[in-house]
Amino acid sequence: MSARIELKEKVLAENDRLADDLRQEFRAAGIVALNLVSSPGSGKTSLLERTLKALNNRLRIALVAGDVQTENDARRLQAAGGKIVRSVITGGACHLDAKMITEAVSTIDLSVIDLLLIENVGNLVCPSSYDLGEDMKVVVISTTEGDDKPLKYPAMFRRSGAMVINKTDLLGLSDFELSKVITNARAINSALKMFQISCRTGDGLPEWYDWLAALVKNKKAET
Amino acid sequence: MSARIELKEKVLAENDRLADDLRQEFRAAGIVALNLVSSPGSGKTSLLERTLKALNNRLRIALVAGDVQTENDARRLQAAGGKIVRSVITGGACHLDAKMITEAVSTIDLSVIDLLLIENVGNLVCPSSYDLGEDMKVVVISTTEGDDKPLKYPAMFRRSGAMVINKTDLLGLSDFELSKVITNARAINSALKMFQISCRTGDGLPEWYDWLAALVKNKKAET
């Protein structure tokens, strides 16, 4: 085994250990934690803005927004009504890791929130390897990307529990075929929960909101 | 310095050494080498398909298509008329490196080509650090991504010589503002050569083709 692979495995093992601690902390607090992953530009921040506006009165939501540079996303989420928003600038790293989340979460009183939404760095590769202690990864893709993305980035779709297909208002304006992306995603992960939405028109979003609310309700029932 | 950073620097130094060898090889052969980088789904493969169809009779073009999994892109390029197409599957790595290109190029007779187009893995972070011996990185973005991408991924825009803005046919259907992305890109890299194109309608592509042809012509004049 090369020194490079050995070190990568060590880094991932250390990350997994911190992620397990986070998961226990989230479970003890009875909160649902989701890790949103996607390409740059698929609309994670827009989805979170809509989610905040729709659910801020029903759920107590905290957000951690990761970015390579800038606090643009965190600022957008605050403007959209986010009460507890933390920005993590990775400073060049192409993914969030459990250490960054541990630091961000240490500044949040978990006893007063129901739902933690983590917006990862826009990247379909590396974030798939880094467990952040989340209940589930949610992969967001948009209809303006290629419909073969699940086949080209299989690890991300395999390790996600849900897939949100955004920008359905632009269907028909490119070669993207909805049926193809669904077939390709199912081939990689047959259990993937799917949503078809447009953050621009609002289409399909109520189903997403209800699903989030149900996740929180089920978690409360468990604890 | 941590063991992790130390190893990363060693890996990058080794990559730079191999990239320098490649650059000399390309120069000796008198060919232009471009490294196309972007988010997943911005349209690199579509741009290369159009480029092949338009320039195959004017220039001798070789292509190296990198992907995490699948040979989809290489197959599309062959179908579009690519005569010399090599597929590099990174097997999980989120970027191409100079070693992969050295292996791919070793199977190509450089004396019979004018232009080498390398399609990197869809990722706006890591590919910015890996020199592939290219004359220039070309960053492709699309009007369906956010117009703040240059600010959020500054290294990529700083290290690129040209920026192609694709999907101009979809302008006005999202909040993306052309003037903003141009201002943001210029703030990071004032020397960036810019193209506004639509691979769907063909708008703006002749200028891109002419620029490629001029790069080749100038390279031949040098050697």
Side-chain angles (χ1 to χ4, degrees), chain A residues 67 73 144 152 167 173, chain B residues 67 73 144 152 167 173 200:
Chain A
D67 239 318
D73 291 347
T144 54
K152 293 171 87 173
K167 308 188 192 176
L173 297 175
Chain B
D67 239 318
D73 291 347
T144 55
K152 293 172 86 175
K167 307 189 192 177
L173 298 175
R200 197 165 169 80

Side-chain angles (χ1 to χ4, degrees), chain B residues 13-220:
Chain B
E14 168 69 9
N15 186 80
D16 283 349
R17 200 185 58 71
L18 288 173
D20 284 342
D21 291 347
L22 279 171
R23 191 168 283 109
Q24 282 187 25
E25 201 180 338
F26 297 155
R27 189 178 299 136
I31 67 168
V32 172
L34 299 180
N35 177 2
L36 272 76
V37 292
S38 82
S39 301
S42 64
K44 290 186 299 305
T45 316
S46 298
L47 176 60
L48 291 175
E49 287 174 323
R50 299 282 311 220
T51 303
L52 276 170
K53 283 176 185 160
L55 291 182
N56 238 347
N57 294 329
R58 286 165 68 186
L59 301 177
R60 299 168 300 172
I61 302 174
L63 301 113
V64 177
D67 239 318
V68 179
Q69 292 292 342
T70 84
E71 298 192 346
N72 287 10
D73 291 347
R75 272 197 295 268
R76 283 176 58 188
L77 296 174
Q78 270 165 337
K83 290 167 193 160
I84 304 172
V85 179
R86 298 291 180 269
S87 169
V88 177
I89 296 177
T90 66
C94 60
H95 56 272
L96 291 175
D97 64 30
K99 187 159 178 282
M100 299 171 193
I101 300 302
T102 303
E103 283 166 18
V105 162
S106 73
T107 68
I108 299 175
D109 179 0
L110 295 182
S111 73
V112 300
I113 68 165
D114 304 311
L115 178 62
L116 173 66
L117 296 171
I118 302 169
E119 181 181 356
N120 218 311
V121 174
N123 178 349
L124 278 178
V125 188
C126 305
S128 76
S129 302
Y130 289 82
D131 184 359
L132 305 179
E134 71 269 359
D135 289 277
M136 192 187 289
K137 285 186 180 62
V138 176
V139 60
V140 182
I141 64 164
S142 70
T143 63
T144 55
E145 302 170 35
D147 48 31
D148 59 351
K149 288 289 164 289
L151 304 180
K152 293 172 86 175
Y153 302 89
M156 192 60 99
F157 291 81
R158 193 173 300 122
R159 292 172 190 159
S160 292
M163 172 170 86
V164 176
I165 307 171
N166 189 21
K167 307 189 192 177
T168 54
D169 54 304
L170 298 179
L171 274 170
L173 298 175
S174 68
D175 301 328
F176 182 97
E177 287 184 32
L178 200 55
S179 62
K180 271 196 192 161
V181 81
I182 291 171
T183 303
N184 288 335
R186 289 255 177 268
I188 299 294
N189 181 348
S190 61
L192 212 47
K193 168 80 184 162
M194 294 193 192
F195 299 91
Q196 299 174 22
I197 65 155
S198 164
C199 287
R200 197 165 169 80
T201 65
D203 275 356
L205 283 168
E207 196 187 342
W208 161 256
Y209 303 144
D210 289 345
W211 181 71
L212 290 178
L215 284 180
V216 168
K217 193 178 165 195
N218 292 341
K219 178 71 79 168
K220 299 282 173 208

Side-chain angles (χ1 to χ4, degrees), chain A residues 131-146:
Chain A
D131 185 359
L132 305 180
E134 70 271 358
D135 290 277
M136 193 187 286
K137 284 186 180 63
V138 175
V139 60
V140 183
I141 64 164
S142 70
T143 63
T144 54
E145 303 169 33

Side-chain angles (χ1 to χ4, degrees), chain A residues 12 23 29 35 56 81 88-89 105 108 130 136 145 161 216-217 221 223:
Chain A
L12 287 176
R23 192 169 282 108
N35 176 1
N56 238 347
V88 177
I89 296 178
V105 163
I108 300 175
Y130 289 82
M136 193 187 286
E145 303 169 33
V216 168
K217 194 178 164 195
T223 51

